[in-house]
C-alpha cells in the first residue's frame, strides 16, 4: 500500500473494532437489565463505560413500564448518570440492603474471578456489591479469559491511602512479585485521585493462581483499600 492508503485501511479497521466493542457492550448491558431488574427493586449502579448502556436501558424501562426503581451509585460518575437519566437517587444510609447491583468488569476468568477498577471506582463498587443480594456483571467478549492477565494487561487495581502507596507497593511486590505502579492522571499533573481521595496502584503481576489467597493477603496490608 501507499502510505496514505495503508493509514486509511488501518484506521477504518480500528474504527470497525471499536464499533464492534461498543455494540457488544450495549447488547450485554441491555440483556443484563432486561433479565435481572424487576419492579420495586433497589439497584446498585456500577461505573465505567459499559454501565452507561445499562443505565440508558434502565431509564427506558422505567419510563415505558412505569417501574419503581431506587438507584444507589458506586461513584461520582454513576451518581451523575442516575441524575441525568431522571432516576431515583439514594445511598447506603437510606438503602443499606440492595436487591441487585449491576456493574462492568475489566476481565473475568473461568472461575468468574474478576479484575475490576480499570475506571478507578473499585472501593465503592465493592461496598455497594457487598450490600446486594445479587451481583450482576456485564462483560463482553473482550473480557472473557481462562486466566486473569490474558486479556487485561494493565494490572490489578489496588486503592491505597496516599501516605501508604510506597509501603503497600513494596509489600505487594515482595510477597507476590511483579510491580505495583502508581496510576498517573492523564489531564492533570500527578496521580489519579479516587472518589475517596485515595491513590491507585496497578499491580502488574507475573503469575498468580490462588486469587482468594492473594486477595486476602493484599487486604491485610495496612493502607490498602482493595
Ligand atoms: C470501574 C470498573 C469498571 O466496571 C471496569 O473498569 C469496566 O469498565 P468498562 O465498562 O469501561 O470496560 O471496575 O472501576
Amino acid at each position: 500500500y501507499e502510505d496514505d492508503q495503508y493509514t486509511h485501511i488501518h484506521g477504518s479497521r480500528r474504527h470497525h473494532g471499536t464499533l464492534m466493542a461498543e455494540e457488544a457492550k450495549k447488547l450485554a448491558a441491555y440483556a443484563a437489565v432486561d433479565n435481572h431488574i424487576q419492579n420495586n427493586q433497589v439497584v446498585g449502579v456500577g461505573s465505567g463505560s459499559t454501565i452507561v448502556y445499562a443505565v440508558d436501558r434502565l431509564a427506558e424501562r422505567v419510563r415505558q413500564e412505569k417501574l419503581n426503581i431506587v438507584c444507589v451509585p458506586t461513584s461520582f460518575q454513576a451518581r451523575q448518570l442516575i441524575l441525568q437519566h431522571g432516576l431515583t437517587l439514594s445511598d447506603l444510609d437510606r438503602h443499606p440492603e440492595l436487591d441487585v447491583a449491576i456493574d462492568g468488569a475489566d476481565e473475568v476468568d473461568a472461575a468468574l474471578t474478576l479484575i475490576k477498577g480499570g475506571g478507578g471506582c473499585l472501593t465503592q463498587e465493592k461496598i455497594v456489591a457487598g450490600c446486594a443480594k445479587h451481583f450482576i456483571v456485564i462483560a463482553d467478549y473482550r473480557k472473557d479469559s481462562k486466566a486473569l492477565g490474558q486479556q487485561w494487561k494493565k494490572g490489578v487495581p489496588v486503592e491505597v491511602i496516599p501516605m501508604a502507596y510506597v509501603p503497600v507497593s513494596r509489600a505487594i511486590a515482595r510477597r507476590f512479585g511483579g510491580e505495583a505502579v502508581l496510576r498517573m492522571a492523564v489531564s492533570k499533573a500527578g496521580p489519579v485521585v479516587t472518589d475517596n481521595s485515595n491513590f491507585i496502584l496497578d499491580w502488574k503481576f507475573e503469575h498468580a493462581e490462588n486469587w482468594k489467597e492473594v486477595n486476602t493477603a493484599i487486604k491485610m496490608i495496612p493502607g490498602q483499600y482493595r
Side-chain angles (χ1 to χ4, degrees):
Y1 299 115
E2 296 292 329
D3 264 3
D4 58 341
Q5 228 179 343
Y6 178 77
T7 310
H8 178 71
I9 290 168
H10 189 72
S12 69
R13 265 205 203 122
R14 189 182 301 154
H15 183 60
H16 183 65
T18 310
L19 282 181
M20 261 182 58
E22 288 307 310
E23 194 54 30
K25 285 199 266 191
K26 184 173 172 178
L27 284 171
Y30 274 46
V33 170
D34 289 349
N35 295 332
H36 297 283
I37 293 188
Q38 292 157 21
N39 196 14
N40 296 320
Q41 283 186 328
V42 180
V43 177
V45 175
S47 312
S49 57
T50 308
I51 202 71
V52 174
Y53 293 112
V55 177
D56 282 346
R57 179 62 183 150
L58 179 61
E60 191 174 75
R61 284 194 58 201
V62 165
R63 259 194 328 272
Q64 288 173 352
E65 301 169 38
K66 304 204 181 341
L67 300 181
N68 171 34
I69 299 286
V70 171
C71 296
V72 176
T74 58
S75 62
F76 181 88
Q77 180 220 5
R79 184 176 183 278
Q80 294 295 95
L81 278 176
I82 293 164
L83 291 174
Q84 283 158 4
H85 283 79
L87 292 163
T88 306
L89 176 70
S90 188
D91 51 44
L92 294 178
D93 292 3
R94 285 171 286 183
H95 291 94
E97 285 180 29
L98 283 69
D99 296 294
V100 58
I102 189 161
D103 206 343
D106 300 304
E107 190 173 8
V108 185
D109 77 5
L112 299 186
T113 310
L114 308 177
I115 294 182
K116 285 198 48 62
C121 308
L122 60 163
T123 302
Q124 291 188 31
E125 290 174 346
K126 207 168 171 181
I127 293 169
V128 170
C131 296
K133 289 190 197 112
H134 302 285
F135 182 41
I136 306 300
V137 174
I138 314 168
D140 62 73
Y141 66 98
R142 299 165 307 143
K143 283 134 178 216
D144 184 14
S145 76
K146 282 208 170 66
L148 295 183
Q150 281 176 352
Q151 303 283 6
W152 179 254
K153 306 291 182 191
K154 296 182 183 172
V156 175
V158 179
E159 184 159 349
V160 288
I161 300 276
M163 69 167 285
Y165 88 90
V166 171
V168 173
S169 163
R170 287 163 59 100
I172 293 173
R174 202 166 43 237
R175 174 89 193 260
F176 295 109
E179 198 186 4
V181 182
L182 182 63
R183 191 184 296 181
M184 300 307 284
V186 177
S187 299
K188 166 210 170 250
V192 166
V193 178
T194 70
D195 289 349
N196 314 303
S197 306
N198 291 324
F199 291 170
I200 291 184
L201 296 172
D202 288 301
W203 174 39
K204 324 244 173 183
F205 57 93
E206 277 153 9
H207 66 273
E209 271 157 30
N210 191 340
W211 284 106
K212 216 169 178 170
E213 189 186 305
V214 170
N215 185 48
T216 308
I218 292 179
K219 282 171 70 64
M220 294 303 288
I221 303 170
Q224 75 73 47
Y225 257 68
R226 193 182 142 59

